[in-house]
Amino acid sequence: VIVGLALVVFIVGDLVNSGSTYFQENSANVAVINGEKIKIGDYSEKMDRFNDVVKLQYGNNINDEMTEQIRQMVWESTVTEKVINDDCAEIGMTITKNELTNMIIGNNISPILMNNQMFFNANGQFDVNTVKQFISTIDSEEAAQNIPADQLYLYRNYWQYTEHSIKTNRLQEKYTNLLNAALVV
């Protein structure tokens, strides 16, 4: 009886402990998309990065309405990216380094850059040289000495976000064109 009782206590204790780990793991997830768990830390990091982008473009005046719009945009982009990236990975569709370079400083400039006022010249028009200068500034050793660390961090985050947006947008275009071509047939 004592041995049986000890076994029951041992088994129940093990179930309770493993169950609490399971519940803790689930509470660390925001959602499950295509069978992959989206961690709250990853989602928060995307939120922070997008907040930095908005602050850089529009200043520090982010109210509750803007915060909610940011949250919604980050969520929608997370879902879209996950679904499209999975499908594109299955069929081997990617964005090459040369293709990305062409969309940033080449002949096929991304609309994301062309509509970004940060890269306009004094005449109010998009200027590739402004993009080149921005990239060389944030990548240079001088930037670390001449630009305050928090500002440089914002600029680098901004560029990472912009580059990621260009890649994602182009991948979505390619994927949509593929689907449209398939539906015509």
Side-chain angles (χ1 to χ4, degrees):
V1 171
I2 293 174
V3 171
L5 186 60
L7 281 172
V8 169
V9 170
F10 177 74
I11 292 171
V12 169
D14 191 40
L15 285 174
V16 170
N17 286 338
S18 66
S20 66
T21 303
Y22 175 75
F23 291 121
Q24 288 172 354
E25 183 180 315
N26 278 344
S27 67
N29 297 325
V30 176
V32 177
I33 303 171
N34 272 0
E36 184 177 321
K37 295 175 182 173
I38 307 299
K39 302 265 184 237
I40 195 161
D42 297 340
Y43 183 74
S44 294
E45 185 179 316
K46 281 185 175 184
M47 284 286 298
D48 292 343
R49 185 172 291 147
F50 196 71
N51 273 327
D52 289 346
V53 168
V54 171
K55 285 178 187 175
L56 196 58
Q57 284 187 324
Y58 302 108
N60 288 328
N61 302 331
I62 298 177
N63 58 26
D64 291 340
E65 183 179 330
M66 286 180 75
T67 301
E68 185 57 35
Q69 289 175 348
I70 290 169
R71 187 175 293 119
Q72 187 66 29
M73 288 172 63
V74 169
W75 175 248
E76 288 174 7
S77 73
T78 300
V79 172
T80 303
E81 284 176 29
K82 183 66 188 134
V83 171
I84 289 180
N85 287 349
D86 285 355
D87 287 350
C88 289
E90 281 184 37
I91 61 175
M93 185 182 290
T94 62
I95 304 298
T96 65
K97 182 93 172 144
N98 290 339
E99 190 175 4
L100 181 62
T101 301
N102 190 32
M103 290 185 297
I104 294 173
I105 57 173
N107 297 326
N108 188 22
I109 302 294
S110 169
I112 291 173
L113 283 180
M114 292 186 78
N115 296 323
N116 190 329
Q117 293 181 356
M118 259 187 95
F119 303 116
F120 286 5
N121 60 18
N123 298 330
Q125 296 177 327
F126 174 77
D127 186 5
V128 172
N129 292 324
T130 306
V131 175
K132 290 177 183 177
Q133 183 180 2
F134 181 81
I135 294 169
S136 67
T137 299
I138 63 172
D139 287 342
S140 73
E141 292 295 323
E142 288 180 29
Q145 298 169 354
N146 297 334
I147 300 174
D150 59 338
Q151 192 71 24
L152 185 60
Y153 176 78
L154 268 177
Y155 287 153
R156 287 179 176 162
N157 256 357
Y158 180 79
W159 183 249
Q160 285 177 346
Y161 173 80
T162 302
E163 198 173 56
H164 178 77
S165 296
I166 291 168
K167 283 182 193 176
T168 302
N169 187 48
R170 180 64 184 137
L171 197 59
Q172 287 176 353
E173 285 175 7
K174 288 170 88 172
Y175 185 73
T176 302
N177 289 342
L178 177 70
L179 290 178
N180 286 338
L183 289 176
V184 169
V185 172

